[in-house]
Amino acid sequence: METRIAVISMILENASCAERVNAILHEYGECVIGRMGIPYRQKGVHIISVAVDAPPNVISALSGKLGRIQGVSLKTAYSAAQGGEPCAKS
């Protein structure tokens, strides 16, 4: 099955969301390429970016589960469906 690369970016409004987010990420662990978490203590939020490689329906399911957690703001960016052209300087 064709897979795509995506980045799921989240802002957790409070630390109580983290346990549920981590449980869902663990559930989808086989498609996670890597993740980065940044606690932004001055603003009282946590910023998490997760890179995944999975079929589009799996990425959508993962994003949907994470996005339904109260206190989580989320956006997902997908790679081009058929690969992409290399970046070129103008």
Side-chain angles (χ1 to χ4, degrees):
M1 178 175 266
E2 181 184 339
T3 65
R4 291 180 67 186
I5 297 170
V7 177
I8 302 170
S9 300
M10 297 172 273
I11 297 176
L12 284 60
E13 302 296 334
N14 56 60
S16 65
C17 304
E19 187 175 332
R20 183 70 184 126
V21 167
N22 286 328
I24 292 170
L25 291 176
H26 180 72
E27 179 182 337
Y28 286 84
E30 69 277 356
C31 64
V32 173
I33 299 168
R35 78 182 260 182
M36 175 180 62
I38 303 167
Y40 190 10
R41 291 179 183 89
Q42 293 90 332
K43 299 288 182 175
V45 298
H46 298 272
I47 303 161
I48 300 174
S49 292
V50 181
V52 296
D53 185 2
N57 63 320
V58 173
I59 297 170
S60 292
L62 171 56
S63 295
K65 285 183 179 184
L66 291 167
R68 284 190 292 275
I69 299 171
Q70 188 170 3
V72 174
S73 300
L74 177 142
K75 292 288 181 183
T76 303
Y78 289 85
S79 65
Q82 298 299 324
E85 295 183 19
C87 295
K89 284 189 169 181
S90 352

